[in-house]
Amino acid sequence: MACALPAAVVAELTAQSRAGTTGTLSAVGDPGGLLRLDGGRVTGAESPGAPGVEALLLRSGRVLEASWVAAYQAGASHGRLALELVRRGLVGAAELEAVCLMALFDAAFAIAAGTVEECRWAPAAPTPASADAPTPGPTADWPPERSGSAGRGGREPWTWEVARVDVAELCGETERRLVALAELPTPVRPGRDRLSTAPAGAPSGSTAPGSTAPGAGSHGAGATSWSGTGAWGGSGLRAASGLRRDVLGLADGRRTARDIAFTLGRGVYPVTVEASRLLADGLLRIGGPSQEGGEVRALLAPRHAAPPAVPATGASSGGAHASAGSGPDAARSGAPAGGPFAGPVQLPRRPSRASGS
Amino acid sequence: MSQEALVAEIRGLRERLPGITDAAVAAVDGLLVAADTAAEVDPESLAALAAASLGLARRTATVSGRGPLRRTVTYCAGGYAVIYAVGDTALLTVLGDEGLDLGRLHLETGALIERLNDLLCGRAT
């Protein structure tokens, strides 16, 4: 894992910052992300690898969904969502600023902790007064769906009025986080390593059903249950509390640290650090699911795997689709009959396109 | 053999794209074919609801004269539920969190749906 933002990103950011420009730097990669600049200062960072301000406030339960929607309706169209949130007393001004800054640094961390293949600068869209100016290159191939409804491109620029940091500060903070993570004995890659609770034999071994930590709440209900007593019983580990407990409750072998951060509405950096510590303590491990609940299942045989008699009869009414539609029924009831007359009798039972177009 | 390939395809999708939490392949009648879901999600119910949504969306597309249906996206406060038709007889449903990049998902699923269709129709090599 790199210990700083990729050089290409830093170079582009620094150049644009010196020029005092406004626009968006998009880092293409896994998970990649966007960095917004306004007048040479960073006003926002968004990445699929880190929860945004909205996710942090809503998923954590800090702001209720209904209140958020009301504030959004009232303020978003005028670019005053932040003002509305504070005016309605949903969050304090300082708190909102802190959350916005945290989301910004967190997204930069997620971008830097992953891989960046390419770095594209897109100047801000021309103001309505000069809208007839030709669109610059990078924005032309920008998929509209991505910037519009993807939830990241179009929904969070409102944070520009709240958080605003210098490029040097952003790079410094990102580096500090990456270095701190790399110094842990077993750093977890936030978007890559799938976490599961340690197998039986480890301190957390025998799990008692229904002992999922209360903090994990509804999202932890069906996940790998983790026994509190087991976890600090054997090796004198400190009692798991807060984030530590939540991370343990959600590590089901499918989720990465990034997924857990989204589920909890916490920053991906603190979750990654906590997961790395749990890994070092032997309570978590990287890799496959420890229980069958998280396994991939193929529950029905594919339709073409029906007994040979069925496709043969289906051929009379047009190939794969017909046999696909009548597959399961035919397979179930067709087996005892088995004879050459079985197929035609069953064919009309289900028109192949009944529930489609 | 192709059943394993089917499972590998939908698992691979989740591993390629950050933000995908669950995925399932079902027949348009709502019968589950393969699922890659977390313990909290009931794959049978997901398949049944996805089939119902796809049927409604197809009819809506026809009645409203907007051309063929491309996909169905349900926007939720905490993420998305996306449904793609796989040929005429099956569907792919994908659940994601707020971080899921829908644009990238649509790009990724284009070729995937072709492959799923081939697998389901027994045309895969």
Side-chain angles (χ1 to χ4, degrees), chain B residues 28 49-59 69 72 83-85 90-91:
Chain B
V28 285
L49 289 169
S53 315
L54 184 68
L56 278 176
R58 273 183 167 154
R59 295 297 298 163
L69 178 74
T72 299
I83 303 156
Y84 301 92
L91 63 88

Side-chain angles (χ1 to χ4, degrees), chain A residues 256-299:
Chain A
T256 60
R258 171 234 172 262
D259 298 337
I260 293 175
F262 269 87
T263 311
L264 291 172
R266 302 286 298 256
V268 73
Y269 172 67
V271 169
T272 306
V273 167
E274 199 58 67
S276 304
R277 289 186 184 139
L278 285 164
L279 196 68
D281 290 346
L283 294 176
L284 281 185
R285 65 188 176 92
I286 291 173
S290 55
Q291 290 192 350
E292 287 184 5
E295 277 291 357
V296 179
R297 283 157 285 188
L299 289 133

Side-chain angles (χ1 to χ4, degrees), chain A residues 112-218:
Chain A
T115 55
V116 175
E117 292 151 19
E118 194 192 340
C119 191
R120 277 182 288 180
W121 170 255
T127 52
S130 59
D132 50 349
T135 316
T139 48
D141 61 338
W142 192 248
E145 181 118 37
R146 187 173 171 141
S147 54
S149 54
R152 318 230 109 243
R155 287 182 78 175
E156 297 201 340
W158 59 272
T159 58
W160 68 269
E161 50 191 11
V162 186
R164 196 168 277 250
V165 296
D166 289 325
V167 167
E169 189 184 350
L170 178 76
C171 296
E173 277 290 323
T174 308
E175 192 176 334
R176 185 181 67 75
R177 278 156 213 245
L178 289 165
V179 168
L181 180 63
E183 278 174 357
L184 291 171
T186 50
V188 166
R189 292 171 298 172
R192 283 296 173 87
D193 295 328
R194 295 180 190 276
L195 306 165
S196 56
T197 44
S204 62
S206 59
T207 55
S211 67
T212 309
S218 55

Side-chain angles (χ1 to χ4, degrees), chain A residues 244-258:
Chain A
R244 197 172 166 84
R245 189 178 55 189
D246 292 344
V247 171
L248 275 174
L250 288 170
D252 62 353
R254 298 169 56 85
R255 294 190 176 99
T256 60
R258 171 234 172 262

Side-chain angles (χ1 to χ4, degrees), chain B residues 101-116:
Chain B
D101 186 333
L102 284 181
R104 253 181 87 187
L105 177 68
H106 299 330
L107 288 177
E108 285 274 338
T109 46
L112 172 68
I113 283 168
E114 296 275 314
R115 292 197 300 272
L116 288 177

